Amino acid sequence: MPHTAPEDRGGDMSPDAATEAFLTHRNLLFTVAYEMLGSAADAEDVLQETWLRWAGVDLDDVRDQRAYLVRITTRQALSRLRTLGRRKESYVGPWLPEPLLTAPDVAEDVELADSVSMAMLLVLETLGPTERAVFVLREVFDLDYDEIAEAVDKSPAAVRQIAHRARAHVAARRPRGIVSPAETRDALAAFQRAVETGDLQRLLDILAPDVVLLTDGGGIKQAALAPVVGAGNVAPVLSRIRPTVSLQAAQVNGYPALVFRLDGEIDTVVAVRIDEGLITGLYAVRNPEKLAHMERETTLHR
C-alpha cells in the first residue's frame, strides 16, 4: 500500500480496489477541499490525509465509496480550515485564495465556475467553518442532508438550519448575477488596454465607483496592506504598472483573468468581479507561494 496519495497517471497502473476508488474520485475530493479552504496547497495536504485514512478502511464495510471519501475529506478540511483561520489572523495584508489555472471545461459548467471564482471564494471566507462546509456540500455538490450531517457531525435537522442561514448569508454578498465568461473577457480586454496605455480615463470608465482592489503579497512581494477603495484611488495605482510587465489572458478559477509576467516569470495574477458591466472587485495575487498552480492546469470536478 503506498504511503502517499496516488496521482492519476492516465490508467497505466493496475491499482488495488482502494487505490482505484480513490483515483476515481480524486478530482472531486480536491474540488471539495479547495472550495472549503481556498488553498490548493492545503487541499493537496487534505487529499494526502484522506488517502492515509482511506487506505486503512475495510471496503466491505463501505456502502457508498464516494460518500465515504467525501466525508473523510470534509472532516480533514474542516480541521485544517480552523488552523488556517488562526494562520490568516497573522497574515501580512489582505489574504486572497490561491489562483488555479483551470481547463476550459470548468468554464462550461457554469455553476462550478461560479462556485470556484475568486469573488465567490471570498464570499465563502465570511462563513464559519461548519457553515462553509454545509454550503459547499449542499449548494455545489448537491449532497443530501443526511450525508452532510455525517460529514460535519450534526443532525440532519441542524444541517438544514445551517444550510438555510449560509444560503441567505451568501446570497446577500455574492455578485448580483452569474456573469458570463464573455462579459468577463470583454471587461478584462478593456482593462488590459487601459493598463497597457496608462489611460486613466479609460480605467475610470470600466471601474465601478466603489471598486475595491485587494493585493496579496503575503509580506514577500510589495502590495497594499489594506484594501484600496474607490475608482479615484484604484485607477492611479493601476496606471502606474511598469511598462516592462507583459499581460496575458488566462483561464483562472473558471473565468478569464490576467497574468502579469516580468522577465518571463509570473509576477501577479489578477481576477475580477463584475457587477452590471463594471469591475467592482480586483484581486491581485502576488505572493509567489500562491502561484505554483498557475504553471499547469488543475482539473476540477463535481
Side-chain angles (χ1 to χ4, degrees), residues 13 23 61 76 101 106 122 130 149 158 189 230 298:
M13 55 191 290
L23 290 176
D61 297 332
Q76 296 306 313
L101 185 67
V106 175
L122 282 172
T130 303
T298 298

Side-chain angles (χ1 to χ4, degrees), residues 137-148:
L137 294 178
R138 180 63 183 171
E139 300 300 314
V140 182
F141 298 96
D142 199 30
L143 267 64
D144 64 41
Y145 291 111
D146 289 342
E147 285 182 283
I148 299 170

Side-chain angles (χ1 to χ4, degrees), residues 145-182:
Y145 291 111
D146 289 342
E147 285 182 283
I148 299 170
E150 287 193 46
V152 301
D153 200 22
K154 302 279 185 186
S155 70
V159 166
R160 284 180 184 274
Q161 289 183 328
I162 294 169
H164 178 74
R165 285 200 308 270
R167 202 177 299 119
H169 179 98
V170 170
R173 292 163 177 78
R174 72 187 306 163
R176 296 180 184 95
I178 292 178
V179 178
S180 72

Side-chain angles (χ1 to χ4, degrees), residues 209-226:
D210 57 351
V211 63
V212 177
L213 167 64
L214 298 175
T215 52
D216 178 345
I220 301 171
K221 286 285 192 78
Q222 183 178 1
L225 296 180

Side-chain angles (χ1 to χ4, degrees), residues 262-300:
L262 185 61
D263 299 326
E265 299 293 322
I266 295 177
D267 179 78
T268 308
V269 174
V270 177
V272 298
R273 168 174 170 161
I274 296 169
D275 289 287
E276 298 177 357
L278 294 175
I279 295 174
T280 57
L282 282 159
Y283 314 117
V285 182
R286 305 203 68 218
N287 183 347
E289 294 177 357
K290 291 187 175 184
L291 300 177
H293 281 75
M294 286 299 300
E295 297 295 349
R296 59 183 173 84
E297 286 185 352
T298 298
T299 302
L300 301 175

